[in-house]
Amino acid sequence: MHRSRPAVGLSLAMIVMAGVSGWGTGRAAADPGPGRTLYVEGYSTVCSDSGTGTESRPFCTVQAAADVVEPGDTVRILGDFSLSPHPEAVTLTRSGTSDKPITFSGAPLPSSRLKTVLATPASAPALTLKGVHDVRVESLTFTDDHHSDVVAVTGSDHVTLDQLTVDNAAPTVPVTGTAIGVDGTSSDVTVSRNTINPSTAYGVRVAPGAARVTVTTNMILSQQQGGIAVSGAADTDVTSNTVFAPCAAGISLDGGSSGVLENNVAITNGSFQTSNCPAPTAPLYAVSADSASQVTADYNVAAHSTSSAVPARTEYSWAGTSYPTSGAFRDGTGQGTHDIDGISGYPTTPSEHSPLIDSADATAPGELSTDSQGRPRVDDLLVDNTGNGTGHPDRGALERQDTLTIASGDVPTPPKGLAPLGISMKTDATSSWGAALTYSVDFGDGSDPATGTPGTPVSHTYGTPGLYTTRITFTEPDGTNAEKSYAGVVAGTATPPAAALSVAPDTASGQVNAGFARFTVPAPADSWEVGYRTLSYGDGTQDNLADGVQQFTHQYPAPGSYTATLTQTDLLGRTTTATTVFHAADAFVAMTPQYDTEKTIAAHGVLKLSAATLRADSDGVDAAQLQIVTSDAKASGALTLYTHGTSRPGTAGVSFEPGRTATGETTVKVTPTGAVDVYNGSSGAVTVNVATVGLQSHAQYADTYHPVSPVRLLDTRTGTGGVRGPVAGGHSVTLTVGGTHGVPAGADAVVLDVTATTTKAAGDLTVATHGTNDSIVSGPYWTTGQTTTTQVVIPVHDGKVVLHNDSRASANLVTDLAGWYGTTANGAEFLPTNPARVLNTRTGAGTNGKIAELAAHATLKFKVTGAHGVPATGVNAVDLNLTVAAPSGSGYLVAYPDGTARPGVYSLNFTKGHPAAGRALVKVGTDGEIDLYNAGSTPVDVYADLFGAYAVFPTG
């Protein structure tokens, strides 16, 4: 009888042993030959079928690689981490040579990637080898949703299909597909170590005319029509396969086939039969009459269990005669001298002392040195060797392995300490088969391994600081081994790695998100020694950091100064910290002014304005800048604005009196879910009209404030600003602000003190953004002959504003610059405060207890930093409301930074017998103080109410 040559190209690799944690599984990889490695990664974002298939720019499809592969090339097919199937019908028509085969491999390379899953389309096999030779296909997984042909070998020779997996749910209707098919014009084909799950009609099918086909060491489970079907194929060897065949023939040879049938395990179980079983009584092994004289059968196993619910099943059909048992088969044919039956089983590794162990024919053609999982064929020392030849393989596709148990106490002791670090290590391990073991310990520092026999402890000293992995390998005489690694032996440095932390505000397009911090944590020296790092943001939240350089962003919940702390713990438990301070604040969102509400407030009544009404319900808004116009006052008084739900402060916003319209701007704290209360402190009703001119937010990209020392831009009395002479009623003046006095042309908004004087009739002034009709705020209102000033914030587009005299008679117009809002360069961020009266000449508040009016042509200085929520340093402007309660004469106040020359500007005008109040964004002196000059001819009492501060916050 002809004996087919055994398959070649498979070698022993590292094995996995049951019961030992941390052991690895491996197999011998095919030699890719001296050629190129082409990569296919269909889920890569940079793949291209028009490229050259490099690892950095792989092919998208397997076909693209198949079209260009050359002898000696290896095609590595890589998949995504979700193992999503890749639908493709691939046809290979290019061949290798005997010394330079072509290899298609789905084995992971590098190890961080996963092998691909190829989906079988309905129209064609997933892979067709057409007219090729010297080709190897290995370690690919196929899904077979259509239960059709999966891999087809046509007109090809010297082809190996190794460790492929065909996987899908069992079909619920009759199907016709074949998982691996070899056509009648192919020869010298090896089908080895494949796993074929119940998805097709046939597992492996060899067609008439094929020659020298080896089907070895495959796991084939529950195919509808047959596990391995060979028809009319010469010199075909079927060796060491495990076939689970509950409802069809397990292995069949017919049509004049010749070859060897050895070491196979065919299993049936009636409980797995379904209504789709085409031949529930088919024998496990079937050799037709025209093949029986040319087939040698021995060392096979028939394993099954029956139940009363299913028909009885014979084990063999030979030359048309059925044989229910292996004994009957042997007696009737002279074949199967060493066959086994009478056992029940499933397609699993044989249990200890199973008759399958060490009972196969090691000389059978096609017998491999490894099983279907790549594990070696080994000698079980607990079982007598009843097979033939050396190597002592088990029958079927799976080999029973020794269990090497490494004692849990075999660990480096101590596992950590300062270098030089001396350790000791036990070397206890046992073999379930009682094999004599040796060990080798690699300490991971480049020193020579320590070797010996189990039970002999070893010692070692790590002289250099570092993190080391110690590996202990136990080996049996036959080369079987088990390895265990202990990662993390720490020989520490004398001092722990230092921690470092920095922070910067978040900017984009020249704007700042003033409550959003960007933290940078550099990689420390001796970063290997760091165990973990935690960044606490100072607001009750924290993050755990990964290794290496880390950049974190964090949105703070409210303005304030926060100390962030990096806590770094090394592998020895030593802790170092680094801190930095971030000042979360607000940036200014300029609004197109809209008068959002007009209401009448009864005497001593409260008007509640929702955040939505004030357009202050967007992200992170902490304060709103409002302009209020009062009219129809029934008695003199003042409005107080404050956050709803808080106690009403003793501060004033806008003063009013009967018969006069008054206007003013003020800042009030607000929350997106809260509201603002407006209190009428008068004994009579008053009508108010409220507009939002800006918001302060800690969670939006917006502008910072740039205060200036007050400077005059326009005075029609002197011609300053290019206009000389009173402005007629109903006429306008266009004033250029951007590009002058330090205000950039691209400023987003400006803060102006606008004054009307030498007025010929009652009237008012509006201030508008140049070039638009919908961005207008009210300036001062006046009576005939009155001089009055109002501070306004107005957006600018082209650096210009328009002042319009709404009176019927002329008036001289004066405009002073207080500051501007724009990009972040040297800009200040806003900290809203609870309203507080920081100056009161009647009570001595802010004057070191001195109770006295501010004398005519006298200057009073008062400190605005370091109290009431205002930082002690970094402040360059404060948001105040100035009030002259009951002036006995007329005049004006000038507010300016202490330590600078008094400017010739107006901050607040007052008229004898009439209270005056107005907002003043005032630049602060370097000493944190403000000077207040009374330019009037009589002493006056002055109040200053604080609503917030601007600061250029350092970080560190």
Side-chain angles (χ1 to χ4, degrees):
M1 178 62 64
H2 173 81
R3 308 279 284 185
S4 298
R5 65 182 181 183
V8 297
L10 301 177
S11 62
L12 177 64
M14 185 175 295
I15 78 170
V16 63
M17 295 299 189
V20 181
S21 174
W23 290 352
T25 301
R27 63 168 184 79
D31 182 358
R36 304 167 296 171
T37 298
L38 306 178
Y39 292 87
V40 178
E41 190 171 5
Y43 297 92
S44 169
T45 58
V46 297
C47 70
S48 171
D49 280 349
S50 62
T52 57
T54 62
E55 186 174 10
S56 60
R57 193 167 181 79
F59 291 125
C60 298
T61 63
V62 181
Q63 189 64 58
D67 290 342
V68 299
V69 68
E70 298 286 349
D73 288 351
T74 296
V75 178
R76 294 290 186 186
I77 307 169
L78 306 173
D80 71 341
F81 284 93
S82 67
L83 292 179
S84 300
H86 182 69
E88 187 178 355
V90 180
T91 299
L92 176 66
T93 59
R94 301 171 73 88
S95 297
T97 63
S98 60
D99 59 338
K100 294 182 179 180
I102 287 174
T103 300
F104 280 72
S105 178
L109 183 69
S111 59
S112 61
R113 298 183 182 177
L114 299 176
K115 63 183 179 182
T116 193
V117 178
L118 301 179
T120 303
S123 58
L127 175 63
T128 299
L129 305 183
K130 185 176 182 181
V132 303
H133 58 83
D134 296 291
V135 171
R136 180 182 182 84
V137 182
E138 63 178 15
S139 300
L140 288 172
T141 297
F142 300 87
T143 59
D144 182 28
D145 292 335
H146 305 288
H147 309 293
S148 55
D149 294 344
V150 179
V151 178
V153 180
T154 63
S156 300
D157 63 88
H158 294 92
V159 169
T160 297
L161 306 175
D162 185 52
Q163 285 203 316
L164 307 181
T165 301
V166 179
D167 197 7
N168 201 37
T172 57
V173 296
V175 294
T176 59
T178 296
I180 297 177
V182 179
D183 84 333
T185 61
S186 297
S187 62
D188 299 290
V189 177
T190 298
V191 180
S192 58
R193 303 191 303 176
N194 302 292
T195 299
I196 301 173
N197 290 305
S199 57
T200 52
Y202 292 92
V204 177
R205 197 173 190 186
V206 182
R212 298 180 298 282
V213 178
T214 300
V215 183
T216 180
T217 324
N218 300 283
M219 290 285 299
I220 301 175
L221 309 177
S222 301
Q223 307 306 300
Q224 268 193 10
Q225 297 288 346
I228 299 172
V230 179
S231 182
D235 298 328
T236 296
D237 300 322
V238 181
T239 304
S240 293
N241 301 283
T242 296
V243 180
F244 191 62
C247 62
I251 300 173
S252 64
L253 289 86
D254 61 25
S257 297
S258 63
V260 173
L261 181 65
E262 283 203 45
N263 297 341
N264 300 285
V265 176
I267 310 166
T268 183
N269 189 309
S271 63
F272 280 77
Q273 293 185 6
T274 69
S275 60
N276 292 315
C277 282
T281 61
L284 292 177
Y285 298 95
V287 177
S288 64
D290 55 9
S291 303
S293 63
Q294 306 175 87
V295 174
T296 299
D298 203 1
Y299 292 94
N300 298 300
V301 178
H304 59 88
S305 62
T306 60
S307 70
S308 58
V310 298
R313 191 143 179 209
T314 60
E315 296 176 358
Y316 302 89
S317 173
W318 192 270
T321 301
S322 295
Y323 299 95
T325 66
S326 62
F329 173 60
R330 181 171 55 251
D331 294 341
T333 65
Q335 299 274 2
T337 303
H338 302 91
D339 283 11
I340 301 173
D341 63 2
I343 62 174
S344 61
Y346 292 88
T348 58
T349 299
S351 58
E352 194 63 84
H353 303 291
S354 167
L356 277 61
I357 297 174
D358 293 352
S359 64
D361 179 7
T363 68
E367 180 67 29
L368 304 181
S369 61
T370 59
D371 73 356
S372 66
Q373 296 181 3
R375 303 177 301 182
R377 298 292 191 176
V378 293
D379 181 11
D380 187 338
L381 301 182
L382 301 183
V383 175
D384 292 336
N385 297 323
T386 59
N388 181 48
T390 61
H392 314 296
D394 299 347
R395 305 190 196 199
L398 296 170
E399 183 80 4
R400 177 74 186 183
Q401 304 291 318
D402 189 9
T403 300
L404 298 186
T405 303
I406 301 176
S408 59
D410 289 6
V411 296
T413 305
K416 61 182 66 176
L418 296 178
L421 174 66
I423 68 162
S424 63
M425 188 170 180
K426 294 195 297 181
T427 58
D428 297 330
T430 57
S431 159
S432 64
W433 293 349
L437 304 178
T438 59
Y439 71 78
S440 174
V441 181
D442 181 352
F443 296 101
D445 59 356
S447 62
D448 293 335
T451 60
T453 57
T456 305
V458 293
S459 299
H460 184 71
T461 298
Y462 291 101
T464 302
L467 178 63
Y468 300 100
T469 296
T470 302
R471 292 181 175 86
I472 184 168
T473 303
F474 291 91
T475 305
E476 296 189 42
D478 66 358
T480 302
N481 60 68
E483 178 185 286
K484 196 168 185 180
S485 298
Y486 305 93
V489 177
V490 182
T493 57
T495 58
L501 175 67
S502 62
V503 68
D506 183 50
T507 59
S509 302
Q511 292 186 306
V512 64
N513 183 338
F516 199 66
R518 291 188 177 274
F519 292 93
T520 298
V521 181
D526 298 317
S527 57
W528 61 268
E529 198 168 6
V530 175
Y532 57 91
R533 298 179 292 177
T534 301
L535 180 57
S536 174
Y537 297 108
D539 60 359
T541 64
Q542 66 179 35
D543 276 315
N544 295 322
L545 277 58
D547 296 334
V549 177
Q550 295 288 299
Q551 290 188 322
F552 274 71
T553 56
H554 184 69
Q555 178 69 65
Y556 280 97
S561 295
Y562 299 88
T563 299
T565 302
L566 172 68
T567 302
Q568 183 170 278
T569 304
D570 74 0
L571 296 175
L572 297 182
R574 299 173 297 182
T575 298
T576 54
T577 61
T579 61
T580 188
V581 176
F582 184 76
H583 302 277
D586 288 325
F588 180 73
V589 183
M591 306 289 286
T592 299
Q594 297 176 7
Y595 285 93
D596 303 302
T597 187
E598 184 174 6
K599 297 288 185 180
T600 297
I601 309 175
H604 303 295
V606 175
L607 170 64
K608 180 181 177 181
L609 301 174
S610 70
T613 298
L614 300 176
R615 296 184 290 166
D617 53 350
S618 57
D619 290 345
V621 172
D622 297 305
Q625 292 191 14
L626 308 177
Q627 184 175 79
I628 300 177
V629 178
T630 64
S631 60
D632 298 328
K634 305 306 180 184
S636 297
L639 299 176
T640 299
L641 284 80
Y642 56 100
T643 306
H644 178 72
T646 63
S647 299
R648 185 174 71 245
T651 56
V654 177
S655 297
F656 54 86
E657 54 187 320
R660 295 192 175 197
T661 300
T663 184
E665 292 192 3
T666 189
T667 299
V668 61
K669 290 181 69 174
V670 66
T671 63
T673 57
V676 170
D677 287 346
V678 183
Y679 171 70
N680 175 11
S682 167
S683 60
V686 63
T687 298
V688 298
N689 200 323
V690 182
T692 301
V693 298
L695 301 173
Q696 299 285 1
S697 171
H698 67 269
Q700 298 183 49
Y701 288 104
D703 292 329
T704 52
Y705 184 54
H706 303 254
V708 301
S709 295
V711 61
R712 183 144 292 171
L713 302 177
L714 174 70
D715 191 338
T716 60
R717 299 169 301 182
T718 62
T720 300
V723 178
R724 189 177 186 91
V727 177
H731 286 69
S732 301
V733 171
T734 298
L735 175 63
T736 298
V737 181
T740 65
H741 301 286
V743 180
D748 292 326
V750 292
V751 182
L752 305 174
D753 287 305
V754 183
T755 302
T757 187
T758 59
T759 53
K760 301 302 183 182
D764 67 280
L765 178 71
T766 58
V767 184
T769 302
H770 182 257
T772 181
N773 295 322
D774 61 354
S775 180
I776 301 172
V777 295
S778 295
Y781 285 77
W782 61 82
T783 58
T784 302
Q786 182 186 9
T787 297
T788 182
T789 300
T790 296
Q791 187 172 91
V792 299
V793 176
I794 187 73
V796 288
H797 294 160
D798 55 5
K800 298 177 182 179
V801 297
V802 178
L803 283 68
H804 183 74
N805 179 5
D806 284 332
S807 173
R808 66 178 183 274
S810 66
N812 277 300
L813 305 182
V814 180
T815 303
D816 301 322
L817 175 69
W820 56 276
Y821 291 98
T823 56
T824 61
N826 300 317
E829 300 164 0
F830 184 66
L831 276 178
T833 63
N834 293 321
R837 182 150 289 176
V838 295
L839 175 67
N840 187 339
T841 57
R842 287 182 174 177
T843 64
T847 62
N848 295 320
K850 180 181 178 181
I851 300 175
E853 292 180 309
L854 176 58
H857 308 296
T859 300
L860 178 155
K861 67 170 58 178
F862 63 101
K863 194 171 184 66
V864 291
T865 60
H868 304 291
V870 178
T873 59
V875 176
N876 61 9
V878 288
D879 191 340
L880 300 177
N881 195 81
L882 300 177
T883 301
V884 177
S888 57
S890 299
Y892 61 92
L893 299 178
V894 181
Y896 60 99
D898 184 53
T900 65
R902 184 175 74 247
V905 299
Y906 299 137
S907 296
L908 178 68
N909 275 280
F910 53 85
T911 303
K912 180 180 179 180
H914 298 282
R919 186 193 189 202
L921 281 182
V922 186
K923 189 175 182 181
V924 176
T926 57
D927 56 1
E929 296 188 336
I930 287 174
D931 289 354
L932 200 58
Y933 173 70
N934 177 10
S937 57
T938 59
V940 292
D941 276 313
V942 181
Y943 311 148
D945 297 326
L946 174 72
F947 299 101
Y950 288 91
V952 178
F953 292 115
T955 57

